PDB file of all heavy atoms in Angstrom:
ATOM      1  N   ARG A 291     109.990  98.851 102.753  1.00 97.00           N
ATOM      2  CA  ARG A 291     110.960  98.243 101.827  1.00 97.00           C
ATOM      3  C   ARG A 291     111.472  99.314 100.866  1.00 97.00           C
ATOM      4  O   ARG A 291     110.774 100.297 100.592  1.00 97.00           O
ATOM      5  CB  ARG A 291     110.299  97.131 101.009  1.00 97.00           C
ATOM      6  CG  ARG A 291     109.737  95.987 101.844  1.00 97.00           C
ATOM      7  CD  ARG A 291     109.226  94.888 100.934  1.00 97.00           C
ATOM      8  NE  ARG A 291     108.544  93.825 101.640  1.00 97.00           N
ATOM      9  CZ  ARG A 291     109.154  92.756 102.187  1.00 97.00           C
ATOM     10  NH1 ARG A 291     110.458  92.625 102.109  1.00 97.00           N
ATOM     11  NH2 ARG A 291     108.447  91.826 102.797  1.00 97.00           N
ATOM     12  N   ASP A 292     112.672  99.091 100.343  1.00 96.00           N
ATOM     13  CA  ASP A 292     113.180  99.993  99.308  1.00 96.00           C
ATOM     14  C   ASP A 292     112.331  99.857  98.062  1.00 96.00           C
ATOM     15  O   ASP A 292     111.883  98.749  97.729  1.00 96.00           O
ATOM     16  CB  ASP A 292     114.627  99.637  98.938  1.00 96.00           C
ATOM     17  CG  ASP A 292     115.583  99.959 100.078  1.00 96.00           C
ATOM     18  OD1 ASP A 292     115.221 100.799 100.930  1.00 96.00           O
ATOM     19  OD2 ASP A 292     116.670  99.369 100.109  1.00 96.00           O
ATOM     20  N   ALA A 293     112.128 100.978  97.376  1.00 97.00           N
ATOM     21  CA  ALA A 293     111.442 100.900  96.082  1.00 97.00           C
ATOM     22  C   ALA A 293     112.357 100.186  95.080  1.00 97.00           C
ATOM     23  O   ALA A 293     113.581 100.238  95.201  1.00 97.00           O
ATOM     24  CB  ALA A 293     111.113 102.296  95.582  1.00 97.00           C
ATOM     25  N   VAL A 294     111.735  99.517  94.111  1.00 97.00           N
ATOM     26  CA  VAL A 294     112.483  98.933  92.990  1.00 97.00           C
ATOM     27  C   VAL A 294     112.325  99.872  91.798  1.00 97.00           C
ATOM     28  O   VAL A 294     111.203 100.248  91.451  1.00 97.00           O
ATOM     29  CB  VAL A 294     111.942  97.531  92.641  1.00 97.00           C
ATOM     30  CG1 VAL A 294     112.422  97.077  91.271  1.00 97.00           C
ATOM     31  CG2 VAL A 294     112.352  96.531  93.711  1.00 97.00           C
ATOM     32  N   CYS A 295     113.438 100.287  91.201  1.00 97.00           N
ATOM     33  CA  CYS A 295     113.381 101.258  90.094  1.00 97.00           C
ATOM     34  C   CYS A 295     114.033 100.678  88.839  1.00 97.00           C
ATOM     35  O   CYS A 295     115.012  99.940  88.940  1.00 97.00           O
ATOM     36  CB  CYS A 295     114.110 102.542  90.472  1.00 97.00           C
ATOM     37  SG  CYS A 295     113.379 103.387  91.889  1.00 97.00           S
ATOM     38  N   ALA A 296     113.472 101.029  87.701  1.00 97.00           N
ATOM     39  CA  ALA A 296     114.070 100.659  86.409  1.00 97.00           C
ATOM     40  C   ALA A 296     114.236 101.931  85.600  1.00 97.00           C
ATOM     41  O   ALA A 296     113.439 102.867  85.722  1.00 97.00           O
ATOM     42  CB  ALA A 296     113.174  99.668  85.676  1.00 97.00           C
ATOM     43  N   GLN A 297     115.270 101.943  84.756  1.00 96.00           N
ATOM     44  CA  GLN A 297     115.517 103.137  83.941  1.00 96.00           C
ATOM     45  C   GLN A 297     114.714 103.058  82.651  1.00 96.00           C
ATOM     46  O   GLN A 297     114.650 102.004  82.013  1.00 96.00           O
ATOM     47  CB  GLN A 297     116.999 103.240  83.607  1.00 96.00           C
ATOM     48  CG  GLN A 297     117.852 103.524  84.829  1.00 96.00           C
ATOM     49  CD  GLN A 297     119.321 103.221  84.593  1.00 96.00           C
ATOM     50  OE1 GLN A 297     119.783 103.179  83.459  1.00 96.00           O
ATOM     51  NE2 GLN A 297     120.034 102.984  85.675  1.00 96.00           N
ATOM     52  N   TYR A 298     114.107 104.210  82.303  1.00 98.00           N
ATOM     53  CA  TYR A 298     113.365 104.271  81.047  1.00 98.00           C
ATOM     54  C   TYR A 298     113.393 105.700  80.508  1.00 98.00           C
ATOM     55  O   TYR A 298     112.913 106.621  81.163  1.00 98.00           O
ATOM     56  CB  TYR A 298     111.901 103.843  81.260  1.00 98.00           C
ATOM     57  CG  TYR A 298     111.128 103.665  79.971  1.00 98.00           C
ATOM     58  CD1 TYR A 298     111.567 102.761  79.003  1.00 98.00           C
ATOM     59  CD2 TYR A 298     109.977 104.396  79.718  1.00 98.00           C
ATOM     60  CE1 TYR A 298     110.868 102.588  77.812  1.00 98.00           C
ATOM     61  CE2 TYR A 298     109.267 104.220  78.528  1.00 98.00           C
ATOM     62  CZ  TYR A 298     109.726 103.317  77.573  1.00 98.00           C
ATOM     63  OH  TYR A 298     109.038 103.146  76.397  1.00 98.00           O
ATOM     64  N   ARG A 299     113.994 105.874  79.335  1.00 97.00           N
ATOM     65  CA  ARG A 299     114.019 107.184  78.667  1.00 97.00           C
ATOM     66  C   ARG A 299     114.452 108.284  79.639  1.00 97.00           C
ATOM     67  O   ARG A 299     113.747 109.286  79.813  1.00 97.00           O
ATOM     68  CB  ARG A 299     112.650 107.547  78.099  1.00 97.00           C
ATOM     69  CG  ARG A 299     111.887 106.413  77.412  1.00 97.00           C
ATOM     70  CD  ARG A 299     112.322 106.138  76.029  1.00 97.00           C
ATOM     71  NE  ARG A 299     111.410 105.183  75.400  1.00 97.00           N
ATOM     72  CZ  ARG A 299     111.828 104.197  74.594  1.00 97.00           C
ATOM     73  NH1 ARG A 299     113.117 104.030  74.317  1.00 97.00           N
ATOM     74  NH2 ARG A 299     110.950 103.396  74.039  1.00 97.00           N
ATOM     75  N   GLU A 300     115.553 108.070  80.336  1.00 96.00           N
ATOM     76  CA  GLU A 300     116.111 109.037  81.287  1.00 96.00           C
ATOM     77  C   GLU A 300     115.187 109.345  82.461  1.00 96.00           C
ATOM     78  O   GLU A 300     115.252 110.428  83.046  1.00 96.00           O
ATOM     79  CB  GLU A 300     116.530 110.329  80.557  1.00 96.00           C
ATOM     80  CG  GLU A 300     117.609 110.023  79.536  1.00 96.00           C
ATOM     81  CD  GLU A 300     118.030 111.205  78.719  1.00 96.00           C
ATOM     82  OE1 GLU A 300     117.384 112.247  78.799  1.00 96.00           O
ATOM     83  OE2 GLU A 300     119.025 111.034  77.990  1.00 96.00           O
ATOM     84  N   HIS A 301     114.293 108.434  82.746  1.00 98.00           N
ATOM     85  CA  HIS A 301     113.460 108.519  83.941  1.00 98.00           C
ATOM     86  C   HIS A 301     113.726 107.279  84.802  1.00 98.00           C
ATOM     87  O   HIS A 301     114.237 106.272  84.308  1.00 98.00           O
ATOM     88  CB  HIS A 301     111.969 108.545  83.589  1.00 98.00           C
ATOM     89  CG  HIS A 301     111.523 109.804  82.911  1.00 98.00           C
ATOM     90  ND1 HIS A 301     111.923 110.152  81.645  1.00 98.00           N
ATOM     91  CD2 HIS A 301     110.694 110.802  83.332  1.00 98.00           C
ATOM     92  CE1 HIS A 301     111.359 111.308  81.305  1.00 98.00           C
ATOM     93  NE2 HIS A 301     110.622 111.725  82.321  1.00 98.00           N
ATOM     94  N   ASP A 302     113.352 107.368  86.075  1.00 98.00           N
ATOM     95  CA  ASP A 302     113.360 106.193  86.950  1.00 98.00           C
ATOM     96  C   ASP A 302     111.918 105.810  87.224  1.00 98.00           C
ATOM     97  O   ASP A 302     111.160 106.618  87.767  1.00 98.00           O
ATOM     98  CB  ASP A 302     114.073 106.504  88.272  1.00 98.00           C
ATOM     99  CG  ASP A 302     115.547 106.768  88.045  1.00 98.00           C
ATOM    100  OD1 ASP A 302     116.223 105.877  87.501  1.00 98.00           O
ATOM    101  OD2 ASP A 302     116.009 107.881  88.366  1.00 98.00           O
ATOM    102  N   VAL A 303     111.559 104.607  86.818  1.00 98.00           N
ATOM    103  CA  VAL A 303     110.189 104.106  87.024  1.00 98.00           C
ATOM    104  C   VAL A 303     110.238 103.239  88.280  1.00 98.00           C
ATOM    105  O   VAL A 303     110.855 102.170  88.279  1.00 98.00           O
ATOM    106  CB  VAL A 303     109.718 103.300  85.802  1.00 98.00           C
ATOM    107  CG1 VAL A 303     108.307 102.753  86.037  1.00 98.00           C
ATOM    108  CG2 VAL A 303     109.755 104.175  84.549  1.00 98.00           C
ATOM    109  N   CYS A 304     109.608 103.728  89.352  1.00 98.00           N
ATOM    110  CA  CYS A 304     109.820 103.130  90.673  1.00 98.00           C
ATOM    111  C   CYS A 304     108.517 102.601  91.249  1.00 98.00           C
ATOM    112  O   CYS A 304     107.462 103.229  91.111  1.00 98.00           O
ATOM    113  CB  CYS A 304     110.390 104.183  91.625  1.00 98.00           C
ATOM    114  SG  CYS A 304     112.004 104.786  91.088  1.00 98.00           S
ATOM    115  N   GLY A 305     108.624 101.480  91.919  1.00 98.00           N
ATOM    116  CA  GLY A 305     107.406 100.906  92.496  1.00 98.00           C
ATOM    117  C   GLY A 305     107.717  99.849  93.520  1.00 98.00           C
ATOM    118  O   GLY A 305     108.782  99.831  94.135  1.00 98.00           O
ATOM    119  N   MET A 306     106.763  98.936  93.657  1.00 98.00           N
ATOM    120  CA  MET A 306     106.767  97.964  94.739  1.00 98.00           C
ATOM    121  C   MET A 306     107.494  96.691  94.333  1.00 98.00           C
ATOM    122  O   MET A 306     107.103  96.010  93.379  1.00 98.00           O
ATOM    123  CB  MET A 306     105.304  97.641  95.071  1.00 98.00           C
ATOM    124  CG  MET A 306     105.146  96.885  96.346  1.00 98.00           C
ATOM    125  SD  MET A 306     105.499  97.936  97.759  1.00 98.00           S
ATOM    126  CE  MET A 306     106.386  96.748  98.786  1.00 98.00           C
ATOM    127  N   GLY A 307     108.557  96.401  95.069  1.00 96.00           N
ATOM    128  CA  GLY A 307     109.315  95.182  94.829  1.00 96.00           C
ATOM    129  C   GLY A 307     108.656  93.986  95.496  1.00 96.00           C
ATOM    130  O   GLY A 307     107.510  94.053  95.946  1.00 96.00           O
ATOM    131  N   PRO A 308     109.390  92.870  95.596  1.00 97.00           N
ATOM    132  CA  PRO A 308     108.828  91.668  96.206  1.00 97.00           C
ATOM    133  C   PRO A 308     108.263  91.950  97.596  1.00 97.00           C
ATOM    134  O   PRO A 308     108.867  92.725  98.333  1.00 97.00           O
ATOM    135  CB  PRO A 308     110.034  90.732  96.300  1.00 97.00           C
ATOM    136  CG  PRO A 308     111.008  91.264  95.291  1.00 97.00           C
ATOM    137  CD  PRO A 308     110.778  92.726  95.194  1.00 97.00           C
ATOM    138  N   PRO A 309     107.123  91.351  97.933  1.00 97.00           N
ATOM    139  CA  PRO A 309     106.455  90.242  97.268  1.00 97.00           C
ATOM    140  C   PRO A 309     105.621  90.615  96.045  1.00 97.00           C
ATOM    141  O   PRO A 309     104.974  89.740  95.486  1.00 97.00           O
ATOM    142  CB  PRO A 309     105.553  89.680  98.360  1.00 97.00           C
ATOM    143  CG  PRO A 309     105.223  90.857  99.219  1.00 97.00           C
ATOM    144  CD  PRO A 309     106.446  91.702  99.210  1.00 97.00           C
ATOM    145  N   SER A 310     105.617  91.883  95.646  1.00 97.00           N
ATOM    146  CA  SER A 310     104.939  92.160  94.381  1.00 97.00           C
ATOM    147  C   SER A 310     105.892  91.912  93.228  1.00 97.00           C
ATOM    148  O   SER A 310     107.096  92.201  93.325  1.00 97.00           O
ATOM    149  CB  SER A 310     104.431  93.599  94.317  1.00 97.00           C
ATOM    150  OG  SER A 310     103.693  93.753  93.117  1.00 97.00           O
TER     151      SER A 310
END
Side-chain angles (χ1 to χ4, degrees):
R291 300 185 186 274
D292 291 338
V294 164
C295 298
Q297 292 163 22
Y298 189 58
R299 318 280 188 220
E300 298 177 351
H301 291 68
D302 294 302
V303 179
C304 297
M306 192 71 219
S310 185

